[in-house]
């Protein structure tokens, strides 16, 4: 453990040296041109990618780039997702566009990172069809970005062909978690904190374990130190991130549970709200339910992916729980934390899904009455066990079921919306409303949005708001004085 730590510290120091070297070089260029180089990041996919993009921003800013909101920039990066096929297609679409832009912008650098880059077929296609791409890296080595930029700039001087200039650095498996590099935060008052990387679950439809690697938990000390530093910097809400936060600590010596980690974070002064994402139902312990029940800071929201309500399909999906286990879990959580808001993910059209299996999913949806549900059409991912199952569902059948599920979820949520109407609730004020600048937008503990008139100086504060009217997905409110 100590040895790994030393190696990580040496790596961090090396990266900081390269960041400073590039900065010195860019400073000299600036003295001549008086132009600050710009960067633009486009992030696809989940909250883990959003957090990675913040870290990438931190490195780029430290080098001397400033952010811009279009792809007409000196450095453009796509942080990709590959969980479903259409995520890949969107990236290829953007590459077509940026390739044309690059022709009129000498010196522009185009980089790609994230889950899609961990797939050999995707990288082969990029090398073949988009040779103008400058840098490709994956999910394990974002801390190396400055080194990769430097290598690309060095290649400019030595490479004979365009294809020799491309820098590709992909790691399959690593224990490495490099701490203490420059870091960015999108919001001053709330922050995502990684607690565990990777996933060991191998759900049979899912590509994540192949692209993000095995589970690696950060040490409790590193996490606590980061949260303390965030609190000192004015952060009031943290979102603990991992593909499966409930597996936290299993590979640590001594072992620490996620519930124990939460208890420690709860003690940190200044932190008012704690969220976490995502929980696998099979690993959600009674200990965690007890901590949620007793906590003053853990938000009243749990994202608990169901995937399917059919025990038969759940077994083939390798989810390791049954419909009854899931319903029992929901029952125990709802009793312990009565005002909890439950949200979920559901896949429709998994290979072999029968009408009966689908009706089991509809049954769970009705029984649990989720506050919201993200529904996905099954997407075949090469390399996963489900991709080679010979009973793939016809698209028309899957789409028809998908529509029925969506309609059911919408009608259920319109019936149960507005549970908190005419009550006063605490709201973390997040931003000026994007549609109406006289309104502020904030979130309740259960993650529901609230819009209310107010001054932007309230952003970042937790204040009481009277919820006047429910509009389904959000409330209209007024500040309580
Ligand atoms: N097809 C459709 N949806 C998928 N998900 C993961 N893999 C696939 C796939 N192959 C969904 C799951 C997961 C969410 C992040 O994406 O519901 O919880
Ligand atoms: Fe994918 Fe399953 Fe891991 Fe979630 S728990 S990331 S669905 S393999």
């Amino acid at each position: 453990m100590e040895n790994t730590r030393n190696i990580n510290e040496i790596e961090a120091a090396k990266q900081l040296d390269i960041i400073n070297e590039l900065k010195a070089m860019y400073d000299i260029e600036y003295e001549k041109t008086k132009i600050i180089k710009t960067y633009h990041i486009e992030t696809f996919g989940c909250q883990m990618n959003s957090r990675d993009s913040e870290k990438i921003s931190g490195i780029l800013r430290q080098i001397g780039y400033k952010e811009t909101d279009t792809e007409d920039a000196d450095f453009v990066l796509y942080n990709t997702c590959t969980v479903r096929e259409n995520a890949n297609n969107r990236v290829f679409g953007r590459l077509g566009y940026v390739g044309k832009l690059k022709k009129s912008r000498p010196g522009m650098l185009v980089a790609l990172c994230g889950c899609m880059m961990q797939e050999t077929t995707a990288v082969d296609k990029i090398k073949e069809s988009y040779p103008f791409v400058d840098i490709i890296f994956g999910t394990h080595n974002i801390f190396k970005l400055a080194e990769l930029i430097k290598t690309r700039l060095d290649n400019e001087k030595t490479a004979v062909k365009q294809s020799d200039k491309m820098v590709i650095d992909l790691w399959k498996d690593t224990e490495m978690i490099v701490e203490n590099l420059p870091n960015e935060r999108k919001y001053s008052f709330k922050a995502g904190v990684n607690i565990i990387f990777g996933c060991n679950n191998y759900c049979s439809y899912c590509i994540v374990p192949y692209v993000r690697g095995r589970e690696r938990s950060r040490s409790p000390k590193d996490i606590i130190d980061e949260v303390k530093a965030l609190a000192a910097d004015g952060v009031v809400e943290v979102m603990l991130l991992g593909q499966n936060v409930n597996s936290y600590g299993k590979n640590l010596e001594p072992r620490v549970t996620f519930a124990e980690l939460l208890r420690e974070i709860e003690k940190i002064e200044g932190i008012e709200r704690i969220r976490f994402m995502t929980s696998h139902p099979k690993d959600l312990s009674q200990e965690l339910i007890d901590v949620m029940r007793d906590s003053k800071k853990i938000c009243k929201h749990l994202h608990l992916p169901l995937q399917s309500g059919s025990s038969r399909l759940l077994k083939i999906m390798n989810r390791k729980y049954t419909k009854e286990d899931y319903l029992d879990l929901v029952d125990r959580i709802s009793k312990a934390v009565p005002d909890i808001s439950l949200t979920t993910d559901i896949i429709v059209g998994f290979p072999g899904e029968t009408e009966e299996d689908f009706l089991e999913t509809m049954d769970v949806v009705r029984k649990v009455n989720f506050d919201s549900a993200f529904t996905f059409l099954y997407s075949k991912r090469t390399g996963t066990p489900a991709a080679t199952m010979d009973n793939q569902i016809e698209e028309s059948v899957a789409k028809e079921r998908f529509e029925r599920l969506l309609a059911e979820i919408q009608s259920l949520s319109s019936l149960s919306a507005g549970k908190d109407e005419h009550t006063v609730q605490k709201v973390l004020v997040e931003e000026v409303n994007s549609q109406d600048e006289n309104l502020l937008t904030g979130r309740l503990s259960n993650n529901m949005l609230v819009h209310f008139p107010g001054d932007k100086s309230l952003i970042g504060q937790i204040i009481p708001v009277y919820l006047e009217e429910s509009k389904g997905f959000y409330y209209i409110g007024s500040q309580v004085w």
Side-chain angles (χ1 to χ4, degrees):
M1 188 73 194
E2 268 313 300
N3 222 346
T4 326
R5 221 180 157 79
N6 287 341
I7 295 168
N8 293 350
E9 276 164 17
I10 294 166
E11 184 61 41
K14 175 182 156 195
Q15 294 304 323
L16 284 172
D17 280 348
I18 302 173
I19 289 172
N20 288 332
E21 195 183 323
L22 283 175
K23 181 169 167 35
M25 199 176 94
Y26 281 20
D27 282 349
I28 295 170
E29 255 184 80
Y30 174 75
E31 282 312 314
K32 286 192 213 138
T33 60
K34 297 290 174 208
I35 297 170
I36 302 179
K37 285 187 192 290
T38 53
Y39 77 93
H40 177 73
I41 300 178
E42 228 150 275
T43 308
F44 299 85
C46 66
Q47 309 232 9
M48 304 285 276
N49 267 15
S50 302
R51 180 71 192 112
D52 284 349
S53 288
E54 288 185 340
K55 293 179 185 169
I56 291 167
S57 275
I59 296 174
L60 291 171
R61 276 175 199 255
Q62 193 78 22
I63 293 173
Y65 285 99
K66 76 166 193 259
E67 191 167 16
T68 177
D69 51 13
T70 74
E71 282 146 301
D72 191 5
D74 297 298
F75 186 96
V76 173
L77 180 128
Y78 298 102
N79 189 357
T80 63
C81 168
T82 190
V83 86
R84 285 169 293 276
E85 181 71 32
N86 56 4
N88 285 30
N89 294 338
R90 280 171 61 204
V91 171
F92 290 127
R94 293 322 292 165
L95 280 178
Y97 168 74
V98 85
K100 289 194 197 104
L101 202 63
K102 197 177 178 197
K103 287 197 182 118
S104 59
R105 265 198 92 110
M108 176 180 184
L109 293 177
V110 176
L112 286 159
C113 69
C115 292
M116 185 178 152
M117 297 308 114
Q118 300 283 140
E119 283 177 282
T120 323
T121 46
V123 175
D124 287 346
K125 180 166 172 183
I126 291 158
K127 283 198 275 190
E128 174 80 24
S129 310
Y130 306 93
F132 59 84
V133 168
D134 298 287
I135 299 169
I136 296 180
F137 56 113
T139 51
H140 300 70
N141 54 349
I142 53 171
F143 65 89
K144 276 184 77 180
L145 177 60
E147 184 178 343
L148 302 178
I149 295 178
K150 184 169 180 313
T151 310
R152 173 62 188 82
L153 297 178
D154 291 345
N155 286 357
E156 189 65 33
K157 296 170 208 146
T158 54
V160 184
K161 302 193 299 291
Q162 174 67 29
S163 57
D164 296 339
K165 295 180 186 171
M166 194 187 279
V167 178
I168 303 180
D169 193 27
L170 296 166
W171 296 10
K172 266 295 175 210
D173 282 306
T174 180
E175 286 295 310
M176 211 158 206
I177 303 177
V178 177
E179 306 276 354
N180 302 327
L181 282 169
N183 215 323
E184 267 287 309
R185 267 191 282 125
K186 197 168 164 214
Y187 297 94
S188 59
F189 52 88
K190 66 171 187 176
V193 176
N194 297 113
I195 63 164
I196 177 168
F197 300 95
C199 179
N200 286 357
N201 289 316
Y202 292 96
C203 302
S204 62
Y205 50 82
C206 185
I207 200 154
V208 168
Y210 306 91
V211 294
R212 288 228 169 228
R214 302 295 77 72
E215 283 175 7
R216 295 151 339 263
S217 296
R218 285 178 74 197
S219 80
K221 181 179 179 314
D222 285 335
I223 297 169
I224 303 286
D225 285 353
E226 180 174 337
V227 177
K228 280 185 179 160
L230 289 167
D233 204 23
V235 166
V236 291
E237 178 180 300
V238 285
M239 163 79 99
L240 309 177
L241 295 169
Q243 244 75 40
N244 178 12
V245 289
N246 298 323
S247 278
Y248 175 77
K250 280 187 186 160
N251 64 333
L252 291 177
E253 200 50 65
R255 259 182 91 137
V256 185
T257 65
F258 179 51
E260 285 163 350
L261 178 73
L262 280 170
R263 274 202 204 99
E264 289 308 307
I265 294 177
E266 172 106 18
K267 290 181 196 154
I268 299 173
E269 223 171 287
I271 297 297
E272 305 286 341
R273 284 182 170 188
I274 305 168
R275 298 185 185 278
F276 52 84
M277 178 100 108
T278 293
S279 293
H280 194 309
K282 81 171 165 61
D283 296 314
L284 202 148
S285 64
Q286 186 57 45
E287 186 195 10
L288 177 60
I289 298 177
D290 294 345
V291 170
M292 290 179 76
R293 180 198 57 209
D294 298 338
S295 169
K296 299 262 176 302
K297 296 184 176 177
I298 299 174
C299 287
K300 311 281 183 208
H301 172 219
L302 184 66
H303 186 67
L304 198 61
L306 168 68
Q307 313 300 5
S308 168
S310 152
S311 298
R312 190 188 77 83
L313 272 198
L314 285 168
K315 193 162 177 30
I316 305 170
M317 286 177 162
N318 196 28
R319 292 291 289 175
K320 302 204 169 71
Y321 55 86
T322 61
K323 172 185 180 183
E324 289 69 32
D325 294 336
Y326 188 93
L327 289 172
D328 172 62
L329 185 58
V330 165
D331 192 47
R332 283 186 288 129
I333 295 163
S334 307
K335 285 199 176 110
V337 191
D339 43 355
I340 193 127
S341 158
L342 290 168
T343 58
T344 199
D345 292 343
I346 298 170
I347 298 176
V348 177
F350 180 83
E353 183 188 69
T354 61
E355 178 64 18
E356 287 68 40
D357 291 321
F358 176 68
L359 290 176
E360 295 276 15
T361 301
M362 292 283 256
D363 185 45
V364 177
V365 164
R366 281 188 208 108
K367 287 194 166 115
V368 177
N369 197 4
F370 294 105
D371 289 84
S372 83
F374 298 93
T375 49
F376 305 106
L377 268 176
Y378 168 73
S379 169
K380 197 177 186 176
R381 308 309 294 127
T382 309
T384 63
T388 50
M389 291 178 185
D390 53 14
N391 43 5
Q392 304 287 321
I393 299 292
E394 255 188 60
E395 205 179 313
S396 58
V397 175
K399 279 196 172 148
E400 189 271 335
R401 286 180 191 156
F402 183 85
E403 294 304 327
R404 268 196 283 157
L405 177 63
L406 215 59
E408 185 67 28
I409 290 166
Q410 275 162 1
S411 86
L412 285 169
S413 63
S414 68
L415 287 177
S416 63
K419 278 186 286 205
D420 293 325
E421 211 176 39
H422 306 309
T423 64
V424 172
Q425 299 288 333
K426 283 195 176 156
V427 170
L428 171 57
V429 187
E430 299 202 338
E431 56 205 357
V432 174
N433 188 295
S434 54
Q435 318 284 324
D436 179 348
E437 61 180 33
N438 297 315
L439 292 180
L440 296 172
T441 295
R443 267 175 212 277
L444 301 178
S445 168
N446 69 11
N447 215 28
M448 267 282 215
L449 286 173
V450 184
H451 306 305
F452 63 99
D455 187 79
K456 66 172 189 280
S457 60
L458 292 169
I459 291 174
Q461 294 183 33
I462 297 175
I463 58 164
V465 172
Y466 176 68
L467 307 180
E468 283 172 9
E469 193 188 345
S470 161
K471 295 276 188 188
F473 290 115
Y474 63 92
Y475 288 97
I476 296 291
S478 56
Q479 204 180 332
V480 178
W481 299 94

